[in-house]
Amino acid sequence: MAWLNGGVDTGQRARAQSFVELHRSGCFLLPNAWDAGSARVLEAAGFAAIATTSAGVAFSYGRPDHDFRAEAEEGRVDQATMMRRIGEITGAVGIPVSADLEEGFGPDVQAVATTIAEAIAVGAAGGNIEDFTGVRAAPLFDEVHAVDRVRAARAAVAASGAPFVLVGRTDALLVGAGLDEAIRRSNAYLAAGADCAFVPGAADADTIATLVRELDGPLNVVMGLTATLTMAELADLGVRRVTVGGSIARMLYRHLFDAARELADHGTFGYADDQLGQDTLNELFTRRNRPGAE
C-alpha cells in the first residue's frame, strides 16, 4: 500500500499532486488500463497519467461489468478484488492512476467513504463515484442522496490528507434522463466537493459544448464508445480531460474472439501474423525499464 498508518509515500504524493495539477488547465487524454501489463503499455506510450476501467477489470476476471444485467447475475467484481487490481496497476507504473470506483460498491454514504479511503490506500491519485444504481426500476440514486454520497467521498479525501482528484459521474444521459438533469446533477456534485464532472453519453459537439458552458467545473468525457471527436476538437470545445472507458479492452477481446473462431472454425493461424514480438514485450515489461526504477 502507498499510504500506511498515516504515513505518506513521498513518490506517490508527488504523483498525486501532479495529477491534481493536470486538471488546472488545458485538455489531456487519460487512457484506461485494466491490469499491470496494459498499464505499462500505456505508460510506455508517454501518457502523463492513466485511469482504470472497471469493465476491463471485470472482463479480465470473466465477470460482468456493473450494469443492468448484473441484477440477475452473481459474479460482479467485489470491492476487495477491485482494490487489489487497482493496487497492482498503481504499483506497476510511475505515473498517476485514477480509479474507476463505480458507485462506491454500495448505496450508502459509508460504503462510498470506505471505497475512497481504500483507493487512496492502494495508491490511486483520483477516482470517480457514479450515481448509477444498476437497478432498472430506479437507475439513478435519488439526487439528494447522490449528493450526500459525493460529500462523503470528499470528507474521506480530506481525512486522508492525500492529494486526490474526486470525479462526480452522472449516468443521466445513458439512462435517458436528459441533458438538463445531467447538468443539474453534475453541478450539484461539483458543489458537494467533486473536482471534475463526468457525463458519459456526451459524444457530439453540441452536447459537449453545452456541458462545458453550463457546468461550474471541469468536464471529463469518454470517447471510443460512439462517434468520436478528435482531441483537438475536444480541446477547442473546452473539455478538460478525455477517457476511453473499456474500449481498448473490448478491442483486444474482439481480436481474441476472432482468433478463437479462426482456430475453432478453420484450423488456421492467420491471427498470429500481427502479434507483438516476444522480445518487444519482454523489454517493455523488464522492471529496470520502469520509469524511476533503479
Side-chain angles (χ1 to χ4, degrees), residues 12-281:
Q12 177 61 26
R13 174 177 285 279
R15 287 188 289 274
Q17 186 59 46
S18 73
F19 190 57
V20 172
E21 297 302 322
L22 278 175
H23 292 75
R24 302 294 190 201
S25 62
C27 179
F28 68 98
L29 180 57
L30 193 67
N32 301 72
W34 57 95
D35 60 11
S38 60
R40 291 288 295 276
V41 170
L42 294 172
E43 179 184 36
F47 291 102
I50 61 173
T52 69
T53 161
S54 61
V57 172
F59 301 151
S60 76
Y61 282 111
R63 308 275 188 89
D65 188 23
H66 176 47
D67 66 4
F68 290 131
R69 287 184 293 277
E71 286 184 67
E73 296 182 53
E74 296 182 358
R76 178 191 171 195
V77 174
D78 59 72
Q79 183 193 57
T81 301
M82 186 66 76
M83 291 302 161
R84 282 196 299 273
R85 178 59 61 84
I86 293 169
E88 291 169 2
I89 291 171
T90 63
V93 297
I95 56 177
V97 176
S98 184
D100 181 350
L101 302 174
E102 301 183 315
E103 89 298 9
F105 296 94
D108 59 83
V109 296
Q110 186 54 55
V112 172
T114 299
T115 293
I116 292 291
E118 292 189 2
I120 293 171
V122 298
N128 58 277
I129 294 295
E130 63 193 43
D131 56 13
F132 177 68
T133 65
V135 178
R136 291 183 189 277
L140 299 178
F141 287 111
D142 172 79
E143 189 171 333
V144 172
H145 182 54
V147 169
D148 286 341
R149 285 159 41 84
V150 174
R151 191 173 290 117
R154 173 48 60 190
V157 172
S160 76
F164 189 87
V165 176
L166 177 63
V167 179
R169 167 175 160 165
T170 179
D171 282 24
L173 293 183
L174 295 182
V175 302
L179 183 57
D180 288 345
E181 181 160 354
I183 292 168
R184 187 180 68 249
R185 282 177 174 262
S186 293
N187 279 331
Y189 303 160
L190 289 165
D195 300 297
C196 183
F198 179 17
V199 187
D204 64 275
D206 287 344
T207 299
I208 292 171
T210 299
L211 287 168
V212 169
R213 183 177 64 250
E214 297 296 331
L215 295 188
D216 299 325
L219 173 66
N220 180 107
V221 297
V222 58
M223 293 285 111
L225 309 183
T226 57
T228 303
L229 299 166
T230 67
M231 283 297 296
E233 290 168 331
L234 292 166
D236 286 344
L237 288 169
V239 171
R240 182 58 43 83
R241 73 180 209 178
V242 181
T243 50
V244 298
S247 62
I248 301 175
R250 286 191 292 272
M251 177 271 295
L252 290 177
Y253 275 102
R254 169 81 262 177
H255 288 306
L256 174 60
F257 183 87
D258 290 344
R261 290 267 44 99
E262 180 187 358
L263 290 168
D265 297 343
H266 305 291
T268 58
F269 308 95
Y271 73 90
D273 291 344
D274 294 326
Q275 65 183 291
L276 201 56
Q278 181 86 354
D279 289 345
T280 299
L281 288 170

